[in-house]
Amino acid sequence: MTDCLEGIRLKLRRAYKQLGLLDREFTDFQERQPYKLVGYFDPHLRELVFGVKVLKLNPGIWGVLVGEILHNLRSALDQLVWELVIHETNEPPGPDDKTQFPIFRVEHGDRGYHRKVGRCLKGVGSRARTEIEGLQPFRTGEDARSPLWQLQELSNFDKHRTL
């Protein structure tokens, strides 16, 4: 018997590995002291003024690494829904299905969960649907602060622009 969740686990492991690499990149960058605190006394305002002088710019690879992490996390969620469909129906989603893990900030309306979720979760059982709805930003009360919503927004941003 094959493990239907192995691909999801591999994507999560890769995301955590990339996160570790990004953390090392951050640490190395900070150790090179890329910023300098500067200050002076403004005699007209009679105040001390402080600022930060940027000595070295952040490496561009950071955006690429963050994008890879986001892609793997988002993809793992979408693959989970794919596997839920197979578990429920014993068949993979059809070619015209829009199977994916839904992430919505609002429950109703043109851009709301209940208007769009049917296509995303076609073939998913009621118990799994209930669990997925319970994780939605509109349901948890986190709204835009929701980690799921942040993943959704950053993943979409990364697909079209550089982070």
Side-chain angles (χ1 to χ4, degrees):
M1 178 178 188
T2 61
D3 179 4
C4 63
L5 302 180
E6 181 61 17
I8 296 167
R9 288 187 186 96
L10 289 171
K11 287 197 173 280
L12 292 175
R13 275 189 222 122
R14 181 66 180 164
Y16 287 121
K17 185 175 182 177
Q18 293 296 83
L19 190 57
L21 177 61
L22 186 60
D23 185 54
R24 288 189 298 281
E25 290 268 341
F26 286 161
T27 301
D28 291 347
F29 185 73
Q30 288 297 89
E31 287 175 355
R32 291 185 294 224
Q33 299 179 339
Y35 312 109
K36 178 180 178 184
L37 183 63
V38 293
Y40 63 92
F41 179 76
D42 184 324
H44 299 291
L45 297 175
R46 297 178 44 103
E47 293 179 341
L48 288 174
V49 178
F50 291 96
V52 175
K53 181 177 182 180
V54 177
L55 304 174
K56 297 175 185 131
L57 294 176
N58 297 339
I61 193 69
W62 288 5
V64 174
L65 290 172
V66 170
E68 289 174 357
I69 293 165
L70 294 168
H71 173 78
N72 282 316
L73 294 174
R74 185 69 176 104
S75 179
L77 288 172
D78 292 340
Q79 285 185 26
L80 176 62
V81 172
W82 181 274
E83 291 300 332
L84 287 169
V85 171
I86 294 171
H87 177 75
E88 187 70 21
T89 67
N90 291 318
E91 292 186 22
D96 294 331
D97 294 343
K98 301 291 183 187
T99 304
Q100 63 179 297
F101 191 98
I103 302 174
F104 289 87
R105 274 182 63 191
V106 296
E107 186 172 5
H108 301 289
D110 288 344
R111 306 183 114 211
Y113 179 83
H114 289 291
R115 174 152 181 154
K116 305 271 187 175
V117 74
R119 296 189 74 191
C120 300
L121 297 180
K122 181 180 175 187
V124 173
S126 62
R127 189 168 147 214
R129 282 175 175 262
T130 299
E131 291 292 328
I132 290 169
E133 183 175 337
L135 297 171
Q136 296 302 308
F138 67 83
R139 188 65 69 213
T140 64
E142 296 168 305
D143 196 46
R145 297 178 321 275
S146 162
L148 276 179
W149 184 253
Q150 294 297 314
L151 174 62
Q152 174 80 357
E153 289 293 286
L154 290 169
S155 177
N156 285 340
F157 188 96
D158 179 63
K159 285 188 279 186
H160 304 283
R161 296 161 284 209
T162 303
L163 288 172

